[in-house]
């Protein structure tokens, strides 16, 4: 399968922590229990199809709305919609903010996935760090999580992510994967990987919103029919030598680890660093039992 390149630019939206700021501390996040049966860390893979979304600009370092608007205008807007500038479009379906969009397009709502079969703080559509659901997030290290959905994908048009880093900014490559049973051997899958690069900031201004338009990335989205697991992991990217020599830059980025053991065992004065995952969605997707 031919690999395609697309520009992906994450959008920083969402409300700030508001009155429940004490619950939005960057150090706060639950981690998945390794004993949960929802997670398959090493599924057997027959075929792997990879789609690298080209994003040469780590745009979370741009703070002003003018900078973000310019980046958006220069990007492929058909791949990455932005609620700040395309409210009321067909994608938004009348939702005027990302909070209502997330709540109405979460996997739980579209697929009626039972909360008893997976980690309960994912797929509830609650992505705000304020109010009674402010702890609706989990922490993941770079090895990530794989979730069994107990439903089968019929069709899909997009993927959304809502996440932040817990401390400073993380230079990273995010990898989202859909798994489809081959039907040949038990627990054997074909995997469809979609990856992009970003500088992931903290939740100071709310979770970061990312959108992948599958209809623009894939020649035919029907190849995803039959998928019943999904996963999210990431790779830490080290700063360049030039960036390391600039204290203003190097001091604002989380430490780079080249192996998962060091990442999980890190325990100095700055504490552990990890991604806080609020939700994954597949807006307007259709599922069957």
């Amino acid at each position: 399968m031919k690999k395609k390149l697309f520009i992906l630019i994450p959008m920083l939206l969402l409300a700030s922590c508001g009155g429940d700021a004490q619950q939005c501390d960057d150090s706060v996040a639950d981690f998945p229990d390794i004993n949960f049966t929802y997670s398959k860390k090493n599924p057997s893979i027959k075929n792997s199809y990879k789609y690298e979304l080209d994003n040469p600009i780590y745009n979370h370092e741009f703070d002003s709305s003018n900078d973000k608007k310019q980046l958006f205008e220069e990007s492929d807007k058909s791949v990455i919609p932005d609620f700040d500038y395309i409210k009321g479009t067909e994608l938004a379906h009348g939702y005027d903010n990302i909070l209502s969009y997330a709540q109405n397009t979460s996997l739980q709502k579209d697929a009626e996935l039972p909360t008893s079969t997976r980690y309960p703080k994912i797929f509830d559509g609650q992505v705000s760090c304020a109010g009674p659901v402010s702890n609706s997030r989990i922490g993941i290290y770079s090895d990530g999580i794989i979730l069994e959905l107990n439903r089968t994908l019929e069709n899909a048009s997009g993927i959304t992510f809502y996440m932040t880093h817990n401390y400073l900014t993380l230079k990273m490559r995010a990898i989202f994967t859909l798994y489809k049973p081959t039907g040949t051997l038990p627990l054997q899958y074909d995997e469809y990987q979609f990856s992009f690069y970003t500088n992931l900031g903290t939740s100071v201004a709310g979770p970061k919103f990312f959108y992948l338009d599958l209809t623009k990335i894939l020649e035919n989205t029907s190849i995803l029919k039959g998928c019943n697991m999904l996963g999210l992991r990431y790779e830490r990217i080290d700063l360049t030598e030039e960036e390391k020599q600039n204290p203003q830059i190097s001091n604002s980025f989380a430490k780079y680890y080249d192996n998962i053991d060091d990442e999980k065992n890190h325990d100095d004065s700055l504490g552990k660093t990890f991604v806080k995952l609020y939700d994954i969605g597949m807006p307007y997707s259709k599922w069957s039992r």
Side-chain angles (χ1 to χ4, degrees):
M1 185 174 292
K2 186 178 179 181
K3 181 171 72 174
K4 295 186 176 182
L5 297 179
F6 289 86
I7 294 174
L8 185 148
I9 293 184
M11 300 303 164
L12 173 59
L13 299 172
L14 305 190
S16 62
C17 294
D20 290 283
Q22 73 278 6
Q23 296 187 50
C24 295
D25 189 311
D26 279 345
S27 65
V28 175
D30 291 328
F31 286 83
D33 187 324
I34 60 174
N35 296 318
F36 271 100
T37 58
Y38 69 85
S39 184
K40 293 181 178 294
K41 289 298 183 183
N42 296 296
S44 173
I45 302 301
K46 181 179 181 180
N47 299 302
S48 182
Y49 305 99
K50 299 180 180 180
Y51 303 88
E52 183 92 349
L53 308 182
D54 187 19
N55 178 25
I57 301 174
Y58 294 94
N59 79 315
H60 276 319
E61 63 197 70
F62 294 93
D63 294 328
S64 77
S65 58
N66 287 336
D67 286 333
K68 285 187 285 188
K69 183 175 182 179
Q70 180 179 353
L71 286 170
F72 176 69
E73 292 300 331
E74 293 172 353
S75 72
D76 184 344
K77 292 181 287 295
S78 65
V79 179
I80 309 302
D82 175 11
F83 276 76
D84 278 343
Y85 305 111
I86 59 168
K87 290 180 181 178
T89 64
E90 180 180 355
L91 171 73
H93 285 271
Y95 300 117
D96 60 359
N97 64 74
I98 204 62
L99 297 178
S100 61
Y101 181 72
Q103 291 166 1
N104 284 278
T105 61
S106 69
L107 280 174
Q108 181 179 347
K109 186 175 184 63
D110 281 5
E112 297 181 352
L113 301 173
T115 57
S116 60
T117 63
R118 67 192 187 289
Y119 195 74
K121 294 192 177 186
I122 295 293
F123 310 140
D124 57 6
Q126 303 291 342
V127 298
S128 173
C129 66
V133 295
S134 60
N135 285 324
S136 183
R137 56 179 176 255
I138 63 171
I140 59 173
Y141 294 112
S142 59
D143 55 348
I145 53 174
I146 298 176
L147 304 172
E148 294 183 83
L149 300 177
N150 287 345
R151 293 291 188 276
T152 299
L153 184 65
E154 290 293 325
N155 58 68
S157 59
I159 304 166
T160 57
F161 309 90
Y162 309 86
M163 58 185 177
T164 68
H165 188 247
N166 77 308
Y167 185 81
L168 297 176
T169 300
L170 178 65
K171 197 171 188 178
M172 65 182 287
R173 173 174 175 251
I175 303 105
F176 174 81
T177 306
L178 284 168
Y179 298 88
K180 180 165 70 173
T182 63
T184 304
L185 296 174
L187 304 180
Q188 183 186 71
Y189 299 84
D190 288 339
E191 65 175 6
Y192 299 86
Q193 284 189 9
F194 305 90
S195 61
F196 60 91
Y197 295 84
T198 185
N199 282 356
L200 186 64
T202 69
S203 57
V204 172
K208 279 64 180 175
F209 166 63
F210 303 82
Y211 183 96
L212 283 66
D213 189 337
L214 294 173
T215 66
K216 306 299 181 183
I217 298 170
L218 300 174
E219 293 181 0
N220 186 353
T221 59
S222 66
I223 62 173
L224 301 178
K225 183 176 181 179
C227 290
N228 63 5
M229 294 199 310
L230 59 81
L232 179 68
R233 63 182 179 88
Y234 59 93
E235 297 172 357
R236 293 171 179 265
I237 299 175
D238 201 3
L239 300 180
T240 65
E241 290 302 318
E242 183 178 358
E243 289 171 330
K244 291 178 182 177
Q245 297 303 316
N246 186 331
Q248 185 175 2
I249 294 178
S250 61
N251 291 337
S252 65
F253 277 84
K255 182 178 173 61
Y256 168 76
Y257 300 102
D258 59 8
N259 67 76
I260 189 64
D261 289 334
D262 286 347
E263 182 180 339
K264 290 184 176 181
N265 293 330
H266 174 57
D267 191 25
D268 62 18
S269 60
L270 297 182
K272 296 180 181 295
T273 73
F274 51 86
V275 166
K276 292 193 295 186
L277 178 61
Y278 286 74
D279 213 342
I280 299 173
M282 297 185 68
Y284 316 113
S285 55
K286 301 298 181 184
W287 303 80
S288 63
R289 291 186 179 274

